[in-house]
Amino acid sequence: MTQHEMRRIAMQAIYLANQGNLTDAEEVCQKALKALELKSFPDYSAEIVNGVLANKKELDGQLSKYLKKGWRLNRINEIDLAILEVALYEMQ
């Protein structure tokens, strides 16, 4: 499995977490494993999910600084937010 594919799995897992307001990384990984019909959850994907969920408040705070005036994160599409969170986590 390529790093790109593992990153995509992590992004989809974060999307599921954002939809259900889930904060437990293990629960998110198990839910994604089932939803994506995977045999196993890649280690790199789990590392990203753990990192994003552990640092969610900080990541969202940083993302909020760049929103248009009057906008809040809850106005951003959940898939877009998942992409931004994963990208920012990996950049840091």
Side-chain angles (χ1 to χ4, degrees):
M1 185 174 288
T2 68
Q3 189 172 11
H4 173 77
E5 292 168 330
M6 290 184 283
R7 188 177 290 117
R8 181 179 45 80
I9 290 168
M11 185 272 308
Q12 290 171 319
I14 295 299
Y15 169 74
L16 291 172
N18 289 344
Q19 276 191 317
N21 293 322
L22 303 174
T23 57
D24 179 41
E26 182 62 34
E27 181 183 359
V28 170
C29 291
Q30 288 301 315
K31 188 173 182 178
L33 186 68
K34 190 174 183 179
L36 300 173
E37 298 177 352
L38 300 171
K39 292 180 182 175
S40 64
F41 201 81
D43 290 339
Y44 184 62
S45 299
E47 180 183 327
I48 293 171
V49 170
N50 279 320
V52 169
L53 293 180
N55 298 292
K56 185 159 179 62
K57 285 186 181 184
E58 293 83 8
L59 293 171
D60 289 350
Q62 290 174 340
L63 291 171
S64 292
K65 291 191 283 187
Y66 297 99
L67 293 176
K68 190 174 181 177
K69 187 175 180 174
W71 274 63
R72 285 183 260 136
L73 284 178
N74 64 351
R75 289 186 68 184
I76 296 178
N77 181 304
E78 290 171 342
I79 195 71
D80 293 337
L81 181 58
I83 292 168
L84 289 169
E85 289 171 333
V86 168
L88 184 56
Y89 172 74
E90 282 196 303
M91 286 190 295
Q92 292 181 344

